Amino acid sequence: MPKQNLFIAIEGTDGSGKSTQAKLLAERLTRDGHNVHTTFEPTDRSIGKLLRRILKGELVVDQKAIAGLFLADRLDHLLNEETGLVKKLADGYSVICDRYYFSSYAYHSVYMDMDWVIDCNSMCADILRPDLNVFIDVPVEVCIARIQSNRASAELYETGEILNKVRNNYLAAFDRLKGVEQIAVIDGNRSMNEVAEEVWSTVGKLVQ
Ligand code: ADP
Ligand code: TYD
């Protein structure tokens, strides 16, 4: 019998270890017999590339317009006919997505009302709601230290002050949507393998 395919979103503040965990989870699911498609937002398509320039500070754009661009990038990520998430899932892949709409709820609500951000993403939730949103929870000062040891310059949201607000917004959004979304909060302030084991013990339950 073919494996049940999953849509898993990995969330966290910048530097929390999301990409590392997305990769380790993909390897684990592959070993378990899944065909896995790993992907990320902002995407590497045209709208995502524009967002990367904004995040680097090459272009200055209002925060409301940035939120709109992330929504446009997400709809393109979902619906494009080459690598779109809807197509990948229909083709039988399990999809692991490094950031999805909870990132928008957490980051853009630093600058505007969370209701607006949730409402304007409702079409994405109607198209594809993750089987699980995995939040890798790491103290912001640890994230900042990891970012600094990794990169020469910080991006738009990479200050302690902003990331603390972002973390609080994630927790507020989880609380608000706990009736409709599947959410796992995982302590990410441990070794990569310990975190990966807990991610797997949570995701593994979905495929037993
Ligand atoms: P993100 O995608 O959330 O920005 P990354 O997975 O790129 O995070 O990790 C950021 C940095 O922290 C990288 O240098 C990575 O090797 C390191 N890292 C990831 N997970 C851990 C961990 N559990 N403990 C220590 N360092 C980690
Ligand atoms: P990412 O490349 O995942 O950064 P990192 O690896 O440092 O965590 O994401 C880039 C930035 O985009 C990050 O600061 C979070 C931000 N972002 C939003 O503000 N809104 C969104 O909807 C998404 C998906 C990301």
Side-chain angles (χ1 to χ4, degrees), residues 48-100:
K49 284 185 178 141
L50 177 60
L51 281 162
R52 295 272 171 207
R53 294 189 60 201
I54 296 168
L55 291 167
K56 282 194 203 132
E58 291 171 14
L59 300 168
V60 177
V61 175
D62 180 83
Q63 289 295 339
K64 294 184 177 65
I66 294 178
L69 285 171
F70 271 106
L71 172 62
D73 188 41
R74 182 160 302 123
L75 286 166
D76 179 56
H77 195 197
L78 281 164
L79 298 173
N80 86 75
E81 287 177 6
E82 301 140 75
T83 54
L85 304 186
V86 170
K87 179 178 189 312
K88 287 288 178 187
L89 284 160
D91 287 348
Y93 286 89
S94 280
V95 172
I96 300 174
C97 193
D98 183 345
R99 296 193 181 281
Y100 191 51

Side-chain angles (χ1 to χ4, degrees), residues 4-142:
Q4 176 208 345
N5 57 340
L6 297 172
F7 176 37
I8 308 286
I10 312 281
E11 295 285 352
T13 52
D14 297 55
S16 57
K18 286 174 288 80
S19 315
T20 305
Q21 292 306 322
K23 181 169 160 282
L24 293 172
L25 178 60
E27 288 169 6
R28 191 77 185 245
L29 279 170
T30 303
R31 284 208 298 282
D32 198 47
H34 290 254
N35 290 323
V36 180
H37 174 66
T38 311
T39 182
F40 48 85
E41 295 184 3
T43 65
D44 55 3
R45 294 168 59 83
S46 47
I47 305 167
K49 284 185 178 141
L50 177 60
L51 281 162
R52 295 272 171 207
R53 294 189 60 201
I54 296 168
L55 291 167
K56 282 194 203 132
E58 291 171 14
L59 300 168
V60 177
V61 175
D62 180 83
Q63 289 295 339
K64 294 184 177 65
I66 294 178
L69 285 171
F70 271 106
L71 172 62
D73 188 41
R74 182 160 302 123
L75 286 166
D76 179 56
H77 195 197
L78 281 164
L79 298 173
N80 86 75
E81 287 177 6
E82 301 140 75
T83 54
L85 304 186
V86 170
K87 179 178 189 312
K88 287 288 178 187
L89 284 160
D91 287 348
Y93 286 89
S94 280
V95 172
I96 300 174
C97 193
D98 183 345
R99 296 193 181 281
Y100 191 51
Y101 46 59
F102 270 102
S103 287
S104 282
Y105 306 165
Y107 284 78
H108 308 309
S109 304
V110 172
Y111 306 95
M112 63 199 86
D113 191 40
M114 192 182 286
D115 283 333
W116 185 84
V117 188
I118 293 175
D119 285 352
C120 82
N121 272 276
S122 66
M123 194 187 281
C124 304
D126 289 344
I127 297 169
L128 271 186
R129 197 180 292 281
D131 293 299
L132 187 64
N133 298 279
V134 177
F135 179 62
I136 309 295
D137 192 17
V138 175
V140 164
E141 58 277 15
V142 175

